[in-house]
């Protein structure tokens, strides 16, 4: 048993604990609805693609209070839209062209470790390159960021700028542009999650092709 800095008892779950909890969860679902998993196995038709940060404190389903089948999810360090990342782009392609999602959410969070690393010019072999677009955005917005008189505020504003920038990049992808050209219903939303309150703060929306 450990006490964290907020004086909250925290028990680390063992490997077996997770498997036991899974069985209990599955049973609780079938107790309420015996055909729940049978229906779930028939397929998926989510309206939302969630692109979020890999941070363990920001689980997509938990934060959004959605059930299995409602969110198609991709997560990476600092919720980046990087068009030469085939993993990310295949997710967007499948979600837009095959699942026909109506909304894509990019959800960042305040105090993001990836954003902090970019602001500190992290040059790790992998992280350095991955965070390069955040480093560029930090340079471009340095005057605004440095005008904020406390470190937490500077970091949090950079987290917001990062989300706003990713929405712009997402809107310019050929996948999204092609969907809009076809008249497909598709809206983009930039959100940021505040871990201290548990609340999502909407930052920006693109509801149709801004180039038309």
């Amino acid at each position: 048993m450990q006490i964290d800095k907020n004086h909250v008892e925290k028990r680390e779950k063992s490997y077996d604990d997770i498997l036991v909890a899974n069985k209990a969860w599955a049973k609780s679902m079938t107790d309420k609805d015996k055909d729940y998993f049978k229906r779930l196995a028939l397929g998926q038709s989510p309206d939302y693609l969630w692109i979020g940060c890999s941070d363990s404190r920001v689980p997509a389903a938990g934060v959004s209070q959605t059930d299995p089948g409602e969110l198609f999810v991709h997560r990476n360090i600092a919720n980046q839209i990087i068009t030469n990342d085939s993993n990310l782009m295949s997710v967007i392609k499948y979600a837009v062209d095959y699942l026909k999602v109506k909304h894509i959410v990019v959800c960042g969070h305040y105090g993001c470790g990836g954003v902090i690393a970019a602001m500190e010019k992290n040059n790790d072999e992998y992280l350095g390159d991955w965070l390069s677009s955040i480093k560029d955005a930090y340079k471009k917005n340095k005057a605004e960021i440095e005008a904020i008189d406390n470190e937490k505020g500077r970091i949090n504003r950079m987290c917001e700028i990062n989300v706003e920038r990713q929405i712009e990049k997402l809107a310019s992808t050929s996948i999204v542009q092609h969907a809009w050209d076809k008249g497909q219903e598709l809206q983009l939303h930039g959100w940021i999650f505040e871990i201290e309150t548990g609340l999502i703060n909407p930052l920006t929306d693109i509801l149709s092709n801004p180039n038309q």
Side-chain angles (χ1 to χ4, degrees):
M1 196 77 75
Q2 293 181 328
I3 306 296
D4 69 15
K5 64 181 181 180
N6 295 315
H7 308 293
V8 177
E9 289 190 353
K10 179 181 178 182
R11 178 178 177 271
E12 182 178 343
K13 285 183 178 171
S14 72
Y15 175 87
D16 289 336
D17 287 337
I18 292 174
L19 295 179
V20 168
N22 167 254
K23 290 179 181 178
W25 170 75
K27 183 177 185 302
S28 72
M29 299 304 288
T30 53
D31 283 348
K32 289 185 286 187
D33 179 353
K34 65 183 179 61
D35 294 324
Y36 178 79
F37 290 109
K38 291 179 182 178
R39 284 198 307 277
L40 202 61
L42 295 176
Q44 61 171 330
S45 56
D47 286 335
Y48 291 82
L49 167 59
W50 174 287
I51 300 172
C53 183
S54 297
D55 192 298
S56 61
R57 300 166 296 174
V58 194
V63 166
S64 61
Q65 284 297 282
T66 48
D67 292 325
E70 293 187 301
L71 286 184
F72 198 60
V73 177
H74 175 86
R75 296 170 69 183
N76 61 52
I77 299 294
N79 40 273
Q80 295 292 282
I81 303 296
I82 297 180
T83 55
N84 63 3
D85 176 14
S86 59
N87 185 343
L88 167 69
M89 297 309 292
S90 64
V91 168
I92 296 173
K93 175 74 173 178
Y94 189 76
V96 173
D97 287 2
Y98 295 91
L99 295 176
K100 304 294 184 184
V101 298
K102 296 176 182 176
H103 306 269
I104 303 179
V105 172
V106 175
C107 186
H109 64 97
Y110 291 124
C112 179
V115 171
I116 294 170
M119 293 172 73
E120 293 175 349
K121 301 180 181 178
N122 183 293
N123 289 314
D124 178 271
E125 179 183 3
Y126 295 106
L127 279 178
D129 289 341
W130 183 260
L131 300 173
S132 60
S133 67
I134 307 179
K135 293 177 183 178
D136 290 342
Y138 178 48
K139 289 178 185 176
K140 290 177 182 176
N141 294 276
K142 198 167 185 179
E144 176 190 348
I145 299 297
E146 291 190 345
I148 299 171
D149 64 5
N150 65 88
E151 183 179 17
K152 182 178 179 180
R154 290 191 291 272
I155 292 169
N156 286 348
R157 178 57 187 140
M158 191 61 225
C159 291
E160 293 175 344
I161 289 171
N162 178 47
V163 169
E164 293 163 352
R165 175 64 181 135
Q166 303 318 309
I167 288 292
E168 292 172 0
K169 290 163 66 177
L170 180 61
S172 69
T173 61
S174 60
I175 298 168
V176 171
Q177 287 288 319
H178 184 56
W180 278 333
D181 288 344
K182 292 189 300 181
Q184 186 172 331
E185 181 183 353
L186 182 62
Q187 299 180 358
L188 312 182
H189 311 279
W191 295 351
I192 194 153
F193 179 66
E194 187 169 15
I195 296 173
E196 293 178 352
T197 64
L199 297 177
I200 291 171
N201 299 317
L203 293 175
T204 184
D205 297 292
I206 299 180
L207 306 182
S208 61
N209 193 342
N211 297 321
Q212 292 180 345

